[in-house]
Amino acid sequence: MMGSFNINVDRTNQVFHAVVEGTFTPEEGMASVQAYQKEIATIAVPEYEIHIDCTELNVSSPSALPILEGCFQMYKQDGFKKVVLTLARNPILKMQLGRVARTVGLENCEIIEK
């Protein structure tokens, strides 16, 4: 399955919802980053939490890891109040995402398994 990235901003509860699915190519990764940047330009990021649904996300190949790191770096720099990742039971993906969060120093990241 190709990578897809859907955004829904809940302005009332100040939550930036994103759903990521499948396996991302570098091109899809870049397209999702552009969609993300366009959307966050319309909100006061530090007042928001970002909730990312990764239940349909596949483990990233080593070549896609830099994109993942770049995204986590963005969430950190943009200053979200909290970053919440929701996964299906997937120890490998959980480990991978946890490691990426630590690598970029994203301390306000919470990983929840459904």
Side-chain angles (χ1 to χ4, degrees), residues 5-7 9 16-18 28-43 45 49-52 70-80 83:
F5 182 85
N6 294 305
I7 298 169
V9 179
F16 185 101
H17 291 280
E28 289 164 344
M30 287 313 298
S32 70
V33 166
Q34 286 163 347
Y36 161 86
Q37 287 174 331
K38 192 174 136 205
E39 206 57 56
I40 66 152
T42 67
I43 63 170
V45 180
E49 291 188 0
I50 181 168
H51 291 205
I52 306 170
C71 290
F72 277 45
Q73 193 79 52
M74 260 182 344
Y75 306 150
K76 180 183 173 182
Q77 281 169 340
D78 293 333
F80 279 100
V83 179

Side-chain angles (χ1 to χ4, degrees), residues 20-113:
V20 285
E21 298 177 320
T23 305
F24 282 79
T25 63
E27 295 73 32
E28 289 164 344
M30 287 313 298
S32 70
V33 166
Q34 286 163 347
Y36 161 86
Q37 287 174 331
K38 192 174 136 205
E39 206 57 56
I40 66 152
T42 67
I43 63 170
V45 180
E47 295 170 13
Y48 279 72
E49 291 188 0
I50 181 168
H51 291 205
I52 306 170
D53 181 339
C54 306
T55 48
E56 299 295 322
L57 182 67
N58 298 331
V59 172
S60 294
S61 64
S63 64
L65 278 177
I67 297 169
L68 203 54
E69 281 187 14
C71 290
F72 277 45
Q73 193 79 52
M74 260 182 344
Y75 306 150
K76 180 183 173 182
Q77 281 169 340
D78 293 333
F80 279 100
K81 206 169 19 177
K82 189 174 186 188
V83 179
V84 180
L85 308 174
T86 306
L87 320 181
R89 278 196 97 42
N90 185 334
I92 295 170
L93 183 61
K94 184 177 183 183
M95 220 167 54
Q96 194 175 52
L97 294 172
R99 190 167 45 234
V100 171
R102 280 192 304 279
T103 301
V104 304
L106 188 63
E107 282 150 28
N108 59 344
C109 182
E110 187 182 327
I111 299 176
I112 300 168
E113 282 185 300

